[in-house]
């Protein structure tokens, strides 16, 4: 579900941040986490992507109607 995917991506970023700051881990692991974070979307970017996709679905434009929404503007299930 899009809201679950949004939540998972946001939580994965938080996990990478934790790894990158954990001095008890080997430096290679920390540097790999930092490298991945350089290209990882922030929570705001994920939620914005969800809003854009939802607007695209509402208007019938863009790829969202064909592919279905990837992200959601929320990390909880919509009513």
């Amino acid at each position: 579900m899009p809201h679950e995917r949004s939540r998972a991506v946001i939580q994965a970023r938080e996990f990478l941040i934790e790894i990158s700051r954990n001095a008890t881990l080997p430096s290679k692991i920390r540097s790999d986490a930092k490298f991945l974070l350089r290209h990882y979307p922030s929570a705001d970017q994920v939620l914005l992507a969800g809003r854009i996709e939802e607007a695209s679905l509402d208007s019938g434009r863009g790829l969202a109607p064909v592919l279905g929404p990837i992200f959601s503007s929320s990390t909880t299930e919509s009513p």
Side-chain angles (χ1 to χ4, degrees):
M1 299 297 297
H3 71 278
E4 293 168 331
R5 192 173 300 113
S6 294
R7 183 174 52 244
V9 170
I10 291 168
Q11 289 174 342
R13 179 183 176 84
E14 292 168 0
F15 181 64
L16 287 170
I17 290 169
E18 284 182 38
I19 290 172
S20 73
R21 294 178 179 168
N22 187 338
T24 64
L25 293 173
S27 63
K28 172 74 170 124
I29 300 292
R30 292 191 320 265
S31 66
D32 286 351
K34 288 177 189 174
F35 176 79
L36 292 171
L37 281 166
R38 290 178 38 212
H39 305 288
Y40 217 88
S42 68
D44 289 340
Q45 291 169 325
V46 171
L47 298 175
L48 175 60
R51 283 193 297 276
I52 291 169
E53 290 179 26
E54 290 163 359
S56 177
L57 280 173
D58 291 342
S59 70
R61 296 182 180 161
L63 292 177
V66 176
L67 300 175
I70 304 299
F71 292 115
S72 171
S73 61
S74 172
T75 58
T76 58
E77 189 170 8
S78 304

